[in-house]
């Protein structure tokens, strides 16, 4: 069986939902994972923020506005009177719940319950739409099988067992519809797989049922060689290895949640990226096969903090790095890039929630410099560090102020740390020269 995931834009309008229907209605049994309609999760996050800031009235106004939008969508999606009425009743229950939430005291748990509503709405609506169109489908509630453990990792044994149980109950359906993104945590509270997490839901399900293939349907024709939001003349890449895709997703290619390939890599389950607006386009196939060497794609990750830790005692002192790393470990903060010299180590983090506490401890053993608003630019390709053209990189970047460089940590990745204000210029320059749109 295949698992097909459709993102926010793909279910973001009645027209697009009709496109999704025609893509999935091919007579094959499948599991379909849906995101919330585009914009909804952002709205729900804002509602939670308003509650956090004590702006109850503003939160309630936003809930009311969002509800109006859903009522309009339901009317144009469902002409069948009974289905229309049923979905309207569901929508009104969800918004009554959201209204109740605005009177609660803010907590992370409250926020998680609020943001979960987007996927619950989209799947309920879409399943009813399929019913109206005579397509055999069943809703599989993600909260009945999707669960993360205390380390926020998917609990795969539990997921396998529970998913098989719910699949058995709805055995006759042709198409199973489920929610992306949402899950339970180890205390049975509603949680989620972080923003963009529906991709991750799809590959977790893919691993749990040993799917033939996982397809991620979105609003672009696959993984491009550079970030199309900032760079002109990008093009889709037809094949990527799991390693290459994992590096790109981790280092900022928004098309994939950072963890997307993790669950399926060991079982060699291919992941295909496809465009809902242009289903005929090839897209990108992510698999175990590695193709040609050299730089294939560039991604960038913002919001990086660089910390330079300098100590006279680092000179020939055993255990200095261990002490440094232990501080980060204590504060559950992972490190992305590292460079060292005889007397200093520079490293980067993307989660600065515990920065103050980390700095206070580092301060006891070293002199520290902190630079915020940095970006990691990551160049990815099979055996990129060995490729004959890679030297060009240093020529191209003569004018860019590089704060750190990581070369050789993996054969498939070269990472540069730059100031975020130089990002667009750097990405465009790399694109023009490395992909030979302009020659040196
Ligand atoms: P969905 O809602 O379907 O999950 P996303 O917005 O999460 O879609 O991801 C698709 C978007 O990712 C594209 O519209 C594009 O703007 C952005 N993107 C960023 N980097 C890349 C890249 N390297 N290749 C393709 N798309 C990218
Ligand atoms: N709806 C969630 C988000 O916007 C999950 C997703 O779309 O993948 O982050
Ligand atoms: Mg996404």
């Amino acid at each position: 069986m295949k698992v097909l995931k459709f993102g926010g834009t793909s279910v973001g309008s009645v027209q697009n939902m009709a496109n999704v229907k025609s893509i999935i209605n091919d007579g094959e049994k499948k599991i379909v994972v849906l995101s919330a309609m585009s914009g909804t999760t952002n709205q729900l996050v804002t509602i939670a923020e308003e509650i956090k800031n004590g702006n109850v009235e503003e939160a309630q106004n936003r809930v009311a506005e969002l509800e109006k939008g859903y009522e309009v969508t339901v009317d144009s999606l469902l002409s069948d009177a009974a289905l229309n009425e049923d979905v309207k009743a569901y929508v009104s229950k969800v918004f009554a719940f959201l209204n109740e939430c605005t009177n609660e005291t803010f907590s992370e748990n409250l926020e998680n319950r609020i943001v979960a509503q987007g996927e619950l709405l989209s799947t309920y609506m879409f399943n009813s739409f399929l019913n109206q169109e005579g397509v055999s489908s069943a809703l599989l509630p993600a909260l009945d099988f999707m669960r993360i453990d205390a380390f926020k990792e998917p609990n795969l044994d539990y997921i396998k067992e529970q998913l098989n149980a719910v699949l058995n109950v709805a055995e006759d359906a042709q198409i199973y519809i489920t929610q992306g993104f949402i899950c339970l945590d180890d205390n049975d509270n509603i949680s989620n797989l972080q923003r963009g997490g529906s991709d991750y839901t799809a590959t977790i399900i893919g691993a749990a049922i040993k799917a033939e293939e996982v397809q991620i349907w979105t609003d672009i024709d696959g993984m491009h060689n550079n970030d199309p939001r900032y760079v002109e003349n990008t093009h889709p890449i037809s094949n990527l290895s799991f390693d290459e895709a994992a590096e790109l997703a981790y280092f900022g290619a928004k098309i994939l949640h950072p963890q997307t390939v993790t669950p399926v890599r060991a079982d060699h389950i291919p992941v295909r990226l496809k465009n809902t607006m242009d289903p005929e386009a090839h897209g990108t196939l992510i698999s175990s096969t590695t193709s040609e060497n050299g730089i294939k794609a560039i991604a960038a990750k913002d919001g990086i903090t660089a910390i330079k830790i300098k100590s006279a005692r680092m000179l020939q002192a055993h255990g200095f790095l261990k002490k440094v790393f232990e501080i980060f470990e204590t504060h559950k903060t992972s490190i992305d890039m590292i460079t060292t010299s005889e007397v200093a180590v520079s490293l980067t983090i993307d989660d600065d929630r515990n920065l103050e506490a980390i700095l206070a401890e580092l301060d006891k053993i070293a002199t520290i410099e902190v630079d915020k608003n940095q970006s990691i630019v990551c160049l990815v390709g099979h055996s990129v560090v060995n490729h004959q053209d890679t030297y060009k990189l240093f020529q191209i970047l003569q004018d860019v102020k590089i704060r750190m460089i990581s070369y050789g940590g993996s054969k498939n990745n070269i990472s540069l740390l730059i100031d975020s204000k130089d990002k667009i210029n750097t990405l465009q320059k790399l694109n023009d020269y490395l992909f030979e749109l302009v020659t040196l």
Side-chain angles (χ1 to χ4, degrees):
M1 197 155 56
K2 288 182 184 160
V3 180
L4 281 72
K5 174 260 171 175
F6 292 86
T9 318
S10 304
V11 292
S13 67
V14 172
Q15 177 57 50
N16 289 354
M17 287 196 211
N19 287 348
V20 173
K21 186 207 104 189
S22 52
I23 291 166
I24 61 178
N25 192 21
D26 59 2
E28 274 183 36
K29 217 172 164 80
K30 53 177 69 69
I31 299 182
V32 172
V33 176
L34 300 184
S35 292
M37 293 180 78
S38 55
T40 297
T41 310
N42 284 347
Q43 288 280 2
L44 295 170
V45 168
T46 312
I47 289 165
E49 262 165 26
E50 298 290 4
I51 297 170
K52 188 177 184 178
N53 297 331
N55 303 328
V56 174
E57 207 181 306
E58 181 56 31
Q60 285 167 348
N61 290 342
R62 284 180 183 274
V63 171
E65 203 178 308
L66 195 58
E67 182 170 11
K68 263 192 236 145
Y70 272 89
E71 280 166 0
V72 173
T73 308
V74 174
D75 278 339
S76 59
L77 186 70
L78 298 163
S79 50
D80 180 289
L83 287 169
N84 184 297
E85 195 183 321
D86 175 68
V87 177
K88 285 253 183 74
Y90 183 82
V91 168
S92 123
K93 220 171 70 191
V94 165
F95 282 93
F97 166 77
L98 287 171
N99 257 317
E100 279 167 31
C101 289
T102 62
N103 294 314
E104 279 190 43
T105 315
F106 180 84
S107 65
E108 199 182 318
N109 175 268
L110 179 72
E111 176 168 26
N112 287 344
R113 284 185 283 137
I114 292 174
V115 299
Q117 303 307 312
E119 273 70 13
L120 292 169
L121 283 165
S122 64
T123 48
Y124 198 93
M125 285 162 64
F126 187 70
N127 185 50
S128 301
F129 172 61
L130 290 184
N131 284 349
Q132 172 181 281
E133 303 298 303
V135 179
S136 148
S137 69
L139 260 186
L140 303 182
L143 300 179
D144 287 355
F145 62 87
M146 191 57 77
R147 185 192 286 270
I148 50 174
D149 61 21
F151 302 99
K152 299 199 187 303
E153 297 289 334
N155 183 341
L156 212 55
D157 290 335
Y158 172 92
I159 295 167
K160 269 185 203 162
E161 200 179 294
Q162 298 299 312
L163 179 57
N164 279 323
V166 286
L167 282 170
N168 283 339
V169 172
E171 206 178 11
D172 296 337
Q174 182 78 14
I175 293 174
Y176 300 106
I177 309 284
T178 192
Q179 298 87 22
F181 180 58
I182 62 173
C183 60
L184 292 182
D185 67 12
D186 56 327
N187 293 317
D188 280 349
N189 288 318
I190 294 184
S191 185
N192 60 64
L193 302 173
Q194 309 296 320
R195 294 305 305 270
S198 301
D199 303 328
Y200 196 22
T201 302
T203 52
I204 293 169
I205 293 177
I209 63 158
K210 297 248 185 292
E212 179 193 330
E213 180 173 293
V214 176
Q215 298 181 352
I216 311 257
W217 289 80
T218 180
D219 56 5
I220 190 164
D221 52 353
M223 176 75 81
H224 277 221
N225 64 328
N226 208 325
D227 195 325
R229 291 169 300 173
Y230 307 115
V231 174
E232 286 169 18
N233 297 318
T234 62
H235 61 258
I237 305 167
S238 47
N239 292 280
L240 282 173
S241 66
F242 286 121
D243 289 347
E244 291 165 342
E247 301 267 16
L248 287 168
Y250 185 75
F251 286 107
K254 187 189 173 237
I255 186 172
L256 289 180
H257 178 280
Q259 301 295 337
T260 307
V261 299
T262 315
V264 289
R265 194 200 300 231
D267 290 324
H268 309 283
I269 299 169
V271 179
R272 207 180 277 280
L273 311 183
K274 296 282 289 177
N275 188 353
T276 307
M277 303 346 136
D278 184 9
E280 296 308 315
H282 176 277
T284 300
L285 178 63
I286 303 168
S287 69
S288 306
T289 317
T290 44
S291 48
E292 76 278 12
N293 293 352
I295 295 171
K296 256 192 204 169
I298 303 168
K301 184 169 169 181
D302 297 330
I304 304 292
T305 301
I307 307 168
K308 187 194 256 177
I309 304 156
K310 204 170 166 186
S311 166
R313 275 172 296 153
M314 185 169 161
L315 196 68
Q316 290 176 357
H318 302 292
F320 180 74
L321 285 178
K322 180 167 178 258
K323 268 193 218 150
V324 168
F325 291 144
E326 271 169 0
I327 293 173
F328 285 85
E329 196 192 332
T330 311
H331 295 283
K332 294 194 169 63
T333 299
S334 67
I335 297 167
D336 279 336
M337 270 178 90
I338 312 173
T339 53
T340 61
S341 79
E342 189 70 22
V343 291
V345 51
S346 273
L347 45 81
T348 70
I349 58 172
D350 67 352
D351 173 2
D352 64 1
R353 279 175 299 179
N354 296 321
L355 183 62
E356 289 311 315
I358 291 171
L359 295 181
E361 285 191 49
L362 287 173
D363 202 39
K364 293 180 196 153
I365 56 168
T367 316
I368 301 149
E369 274 172 44
V370 177
D371 287 315
K372 294 196 170 185
N373 301 320
Q374 305 288 301
S375 294
I376 294 178
V377 171
C378 170
L379 297 105
V380 171
H382 180 56
S383 211
V384 74
V385 295
N386 300 322
H387 194 259
Q388 75 243 19
D389 281 347
T390 298
Y391 78 92
K392 284 189 196 165
L393 177 65
F394 298 97
Q395 277 172 278
I396 299 162
L397 293 173
Q398 279 176 53
D399 312 329
V400 179
K401 201 170 155 244
I402 299 175
R403 168 81 166 69
M404 281 166 70
I405 179 158
S406 169
Y407 184 99
S410 127
K411 275 197 317 201
N412 302 324
N413 169 335
I414 300 172
S415 301
L416 314 169
L417 186 74
I418 59 170
D419 199 299
S420 297
K421 68 177 174 7
D422 298 328
K423 181 184 80 171
I424 295 180
N425 183 26
T426 305
L427 289 178
Q428 187 68 58
K429 228 178 190 166
L430 288 168
N431 203 63
D432 290 349
Y433 288 103
L434 288 176
F435 302 113
E436 295 183 341
L437 300 170
V438 180
T439 45
L440 277 173

